[in-house]
Amino acid sequence: MIPAATVAKVQNALPFWMSLSLFPIALIGAVQGGWTVVLLPLFTWYFFSLLDALLGLNLENADPETGDDQLTWYRMITLIWAPLQFVLLFWMIWYVPDAAHLSALEKIVLFFGLGVITGTVGINYSHELMHQKNKWERWMGDLLLAMVLYSHFRSEHLLVHHRHVGTPRDTVTARYNEGFHRFFARVLPGSLKSAFAAEKAMQARKDRPWTDPGNPFFRYWALQGVMLVLALVLGGWVGLLLFVWQAFIAIWQLELVNYVEHYGLTRKHLGDGKYEHVKPQHSWNAAHKASNWLLINLQRHSDHHYKPDRRFPLLQTYTEADAPQLPYGYPLMTMAAMVPPLWRRVMNRRVRRWREMYYPEITDWKPYNKALNPLPKP
């Protein structure tokens, strides 16, 4: 008989395993074709938005001192996702190009949906894994990033974003009044440059040239090269193009989330190029239950930046007294971000309220706007 304590642990972790339902949906789209090829984005965006509306918020916080031995069923989902995604992705690259029942448009839409899940879930899981001390977990994170050709995200996130979030030195802090499309065009080259510069500086501190084998960019390039060759071997040129297409969609999904997470939020400048320490108030928080299941509590982003070492089940949620709140979960907010006038209407007033609430002593935000946003005034 299974101990009651074990049953309770499994039951508590089970909602986070809902992401596995995306695998059979992907297979249905590939095998059946037709309208089913749109199921992946519909399920990921709209179904979880509907669940958020029905289930509401989860304001409960786990004990942050809980040990890893109590989190086995939570950790397992992040560990099994990488091999499952690998098998699904490359099976589809092998199967879809020669599938006579799928039109060219259906194949493109199908891999669009695949990119939605490799970005929404796969990159998110890699984000959880890259923050861990265990080498096996970090390797799983590297594998997931290589599958979407965005391996440098690990260096950019750990060495740049966490250090400089909310300041001009952080490429992926979305600037006040900056539309997503302009943000996306800026962040694609900017994040790669900042990640490479950070790793080059890391090697220099060890008295090594950037060409030293210890530079993780060589691992990144090797893993991405293997993925590209494998896609070409299994699917030919069509398979390679579909692989690159899903990778682009995954990156787009990641940067949509990056855009939402810190839009318009800045750390107070203390003078001499120094900024205040990162606090929960420097990230948007969302306590929406269902989308936090899908995104393994990524929406508790205020706590993640405050305590980056915490595993996802232990991330704390905050009230508006300690962190700014998004009106909806990420699935709905990222859709709104694609329409800049709608986004500004929803979020700019919230940014201004955040400024008044957390920094009432700052009466002139023009220097911050100029430093973080070279765009015209709203």
Side-chain angles (χ1 to χ4, degrees):
M1 186 174 180
I2 302 175
T6 301
V7 173
K9 291 176 184 177
V10 174
Q11 289 177 337
N12 291 336
L14 199 57
F16 293 100
W17 287 63
M18 288 179 67
S19 58
L20 291 181
S21 62
L22 296 168
F23 287 105
I25 293 174
L27 293 174
I28 290 170
V31 173
Q32 296 295 323
W35 68 271
T36 63
V37 298
V38 303
L39 283 176
L40 280 174
L42 286 178
F43 189 77
T44 308
W45 296 337
Y46 296 99
F47 176 71
F48 278 92
S49 294
L50 178 61
L51 278 185
D52 274 343
L54 294 174
L55 300 179
L57 307 179
N58 176 18
L59 302 177
E60 297 180 2
N61 286 321
D63 179 2
E65 301 303 320
T66 303
D68 276 4
D69 59 323
Q70 301 296 311
L71 303 176
T72 301
W73 290 98
Y74 295 96
R75 294 176 59 198
M76 195 176 298
I77 180 61
T78 62
L79 292 173
I80 68 173
W81 181 272
L84 289 175
Q85 178 179 301
F86 180 87
V87 171
L88 174 68
L89 174 60
F90 286 101
W91 175 83
M92 290 187 70
I93 287 171
W94 168 78
Y95 175 79
V96 169
D98 295 325
H101 66 287
L102 294 173
S103 68
L105 179 60
E106 287 172 331
K107 293 174 183 178
I108 292 170
V109 174
L110 184 62
F111 271 76
F112 173 92
L114 192 58
V116 169
I117 66 170
T118 57
T120 301
V121 182
I123 297 182
N124 185 32
Y125 283 15
S126 77
H127 168 257
E128 171 74 9
L129 293 166
M130 73 174 67
H131 275 282
Q132 308 311 319
K133 297 178 180 178
N134 183 283
K135 290 184 178 180
W136 175 250
E137 289 180 287
R138 294 203 300 271
W139 263 102
M140 288 295 99
D142 283 344
L143 182 64
L144 285 167
L145 291 177
M147 279 187 258
V148 294
L149 305 178
Y150 218 52
S151 296
H152 68 273
F153 173 63
R154 173 176 166 178
S155 295
E156 189 279 331
H157 185 78
L158 297 178
L159 301 181
V160 182
H161 180 58
H162 270 274
R163 293 181 183 180
H164 303 300
V165 63
T167 76
R169 295 188 65 183
D170 181 37
T171 303
V172 298
T173 293
R175 300 159 180 174
Y176 180 71
N177 209 44
E178 180 181 27
F180 169 72
H181 307 290
R182 184 174 293 192
F183 167 85
F184 190 52
R186 176 176 64 80
V187 108
L188 284 181
S191 63
L192 178 59
K193 290 177 182 177
S194 62
F196 188 83
E199 291 294 356
K200 182 178 179 181
M202 180 74 75
Q203 296 302 315
R205 286 193 291 272
K206 299 176 182 178
D207 293 324
R208 301 171 181 169
W210 74 266
T211 53
D212 188 272
N215 187 335
F217 266 80
F218 291 106
R219 180 173 72 252
Y220 300 161
W221 293 330
L223 285 173
Q224 291 177 172
V226 168
M227 298 297 173
L228 289 167
V229 169
L230 188 57
L232 180 62
V233 170
L234 291 176
W237 290 107
V238 173
L240 179 62
L241 289 173
L242 290 173
F243 173 78
V244 173
W245 169 238
Q246 71 80 30
F248 174 79
I249 297 303
I251 294 165
W252 167 66
Q253 286 286 278
L254 165 67
E255 298 303 351
L256 268 170
V257 170
N258 274 334
Y259 177 80
V260 169
E261 286 172 339
H262 304 283
Y263 174 77
L265 306 182
T266 57
R267 285 153 63 188
K268 185 177 180 180
H269 186 246
L270 304 177
D272 296 326
K274 297 179 181 179
Y275 291 82
E276 64 180 319
H277 290 299
V278 179
K279 301 174 184 177
Q281 68 201 44
H282 297 122
S283 308
W284 292 98
N285 188 71
H288 299 81
K289 185 178 293 186
S291 47
N292 266 322
W293 289 340
L294 175 67
L295 301 172
I296 55 171
N297 281 341
L298 180 67
Q299 299 174 143
R300 296 187 170 197
H301 207 62
S302 297
D303 196 51
H304 170 67
H305 270 274
Y306 186 53
K307 297 289 184 181
D309 294 336
R310 279 185 183 154
R311 289 190 182 270
F312 78 87
L314 307 183
L315 289 172
Q316 309 290 288
T317 194
Y318 294 92
T319 66
E320 195 167 8
D322 297 302
Q325 306 293 313
L326 290 173
Y328 307 104
Y330 282 7
L332 203 54
M333 294 305 296
T334 52
M335 286 189 281
M338 289 297 296
V339 186
L342 174 62
W343 176 263
R344 287 193 290 267
R345 183 175 180 179
V346 172
M347 291 302 297
N348 278 9
R349 59 189 176 89
R350 286 181 164 84
V351 174
R352 293 192 293 268
R353 187 189 312 151
W354 172 86
R355 291 174 171 182
E356 293 170 359
M357 180 175 180
Y358 291 103
Y359 299 101
E361 73 279 11
I362 301 178
T363 57
D364 182 11
W365 283 90
K366 290 180 181 178
Y368 285 85
N369 290 342
K370 184 177 181 181
L372 286 172
N373 181 26
L375 303 175
K377 292 176 65 177

